[in-house]
């Protein structure tokens, strides 16, 4: 059994045994340990916690309450830890190493001012709602850019709610095949993370060449 498969089996077992507590703990753990695919917890919960004979309204209600709300609260708390890393650790790193990358802290603050017109809220919400966008990178970036904590917290929660609710319903609909779907979504999320990092690196390189 591969390490990823072992993780899937272990987390799925927690959710079956602990219910919403397993969902909360699983999401909190996923935000701290990147080896756990982020779609795993809500999809495993949808498969394990929603009765197979449930009607549409029960499926929707269970997914919203047990998976959507629980997962969103846990994801928001976990994201705040990454936000704090970017918020408190970002400026010292930029001031110390930014010159080698062609970036100054004044430039970061200038970029933050451009986001202060409300676009940052939409960006946070959209990145949370899309299941293939990694939560940790966006959270660290939001902290680095000094996006207001209350706005970050609110729109992280609001964005995670449809994300976890829909993934819970998807886990219920695909049944035992949810493990395969988790692997597909995890691969897509990894690709998005790489694209974000490469995009940042290219931006820095272009700035250096122009400078």
């Amino acid at each position: 059994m591969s390490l990823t498969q072992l993780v899937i089996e272990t987390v799925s077992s927690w959710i079956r045994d602990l219910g919403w507590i397993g969902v909360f703990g699983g999401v909190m753990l996923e935000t701290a340990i990147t080896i756990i695919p982020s779609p795993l917890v809500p999809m495993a919960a949808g498969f394990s916690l929603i009765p197979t004979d449930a009607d549409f309204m029960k499926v929707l209600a269970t997914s919203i309450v047990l998976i959507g709300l629980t997962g969103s609260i846990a994801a928001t708390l976990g994201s705040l830890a990454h936000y704090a890393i970017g918020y408190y650790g970002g400026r010292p790193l930029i001031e110390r190493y930014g010159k080698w990358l062609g970036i100054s802290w004044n430039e970061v603050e200038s970029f933050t001012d451009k986001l202060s017109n409300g676009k940052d809220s939409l960006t946070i919400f959209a990145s949370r709602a899309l299941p293939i966008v990694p939560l940790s990178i966006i959270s660290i970036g939001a902290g680095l850019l000094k996006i207001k904590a209350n706005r970050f917290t609110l729109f992280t929660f609001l964005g995670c709610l449809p994300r976890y609710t829909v993934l819970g319903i998807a886990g219920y609909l695909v049944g035992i095949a949810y493990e395969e779907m988790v692997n597909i979504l995890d691969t897509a999320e990894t690709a998005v993370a790489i694209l974000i990092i490469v995009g940042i690196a290219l931006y820095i390189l272009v700035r250096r060449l122009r400078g």
Side-chain angles (χ1 to χ4, degrees):
M1 181 183 292
S2 67
L3 180 58
T4 301
Q5 188 62 34
L6 178 61
V7 169
I8 290 176
E9 292 295 332
T10 301
V11 173
S12 298
S13 177
W14 290 348
I15 293 170
R16 285 194 299 270
D17 295 339
L18 300 175
W20 70 268
I21 296 176
V23 174
F24 184 88
V27 173
M28 286 290 290
L29 193 61
E30 176 269 318
T31 59
I33 303 177
T34 55
I35 194 175
I36 300 178
S38 62
L40 172 58
V41 175
M43 293 196 73
F47 172 69
S48 302
L49 302 182
I50 301 177
T52 56
D53 59 348
D55 58 28
F56 172 76
M57 292 307 299
K58 185 164 186 178
V59 170
L60 183 61
T62 303
S63 189
I64 291 175
V65 176
L66 291 185
I67 304 171
L69 285 174
T70 303
S72 297
I73 293 171
T76 301
L77 293 175
S79 294
L80 283 171
H82 290 128
Y83 173 87
I85 291 173
Y87 191 93
Y88 294 106
R91 180 166 184 168
L93 287 175
I94 294 297
E95 289 180 340
R96 184 167 185 176
Y97 301 108
K99 59 184 178 181
W100 304 106
L101 300 174
I103 299 175
S104 69
W105 182 250
N106 287 336
E107 289 174 311
V108 174
E109 289 186 320
S110 175
F111 184 70
T112 304
D113 291 339
K114 293 178 182 179
L115 286 175
S116 62
N117 58 5
K119 291 182 180 178
D120 53 346
S121 302
L122 179 60
T123 300
I124 293 170
F125 176 84
S127 66
R128 283 2 189 169
L130 294 173
I132 60 172
V133 178
L135 298 177
S136 57
I137 292 179
I138 302 300
S139 300
I140 293 173
L144 175 63
L145 295 175
K146 303 292 185 180
I147 292 173
K148 292 183 178 180
N150 58 350
R151 186 182 301 165
F152 170 80
T153 302
L154 174 62
F155 284 94
T156 290
F157 175 80
L158 292 177
C160 284
L161 187 57
R163 178 188 187 121
Y164 284 96
T165 299
V166 171
L167 285 174
I169 294 173
Y172 166 79
L173 292 176
V174 300
I176 193 65
Y178 80 87
E179 295 184 7
E180 296 178 18
M181 193 169 178
V182 164
N183 288 326
I184 293 172
L185 290 173
D186 185 50
T187 300
E189 184 175 308
T190 301
V192 170
I194 293 173
L195 288 174
I196 291 174
I197 294 172
V198 170
I200 293 173
L202 288 175
Y203 173 78
I204 293 173
L205 178 61
V206 170
R207 286 193 60 84
R208 282 185 63 87
L209 292 175
R210 288 180 176 177

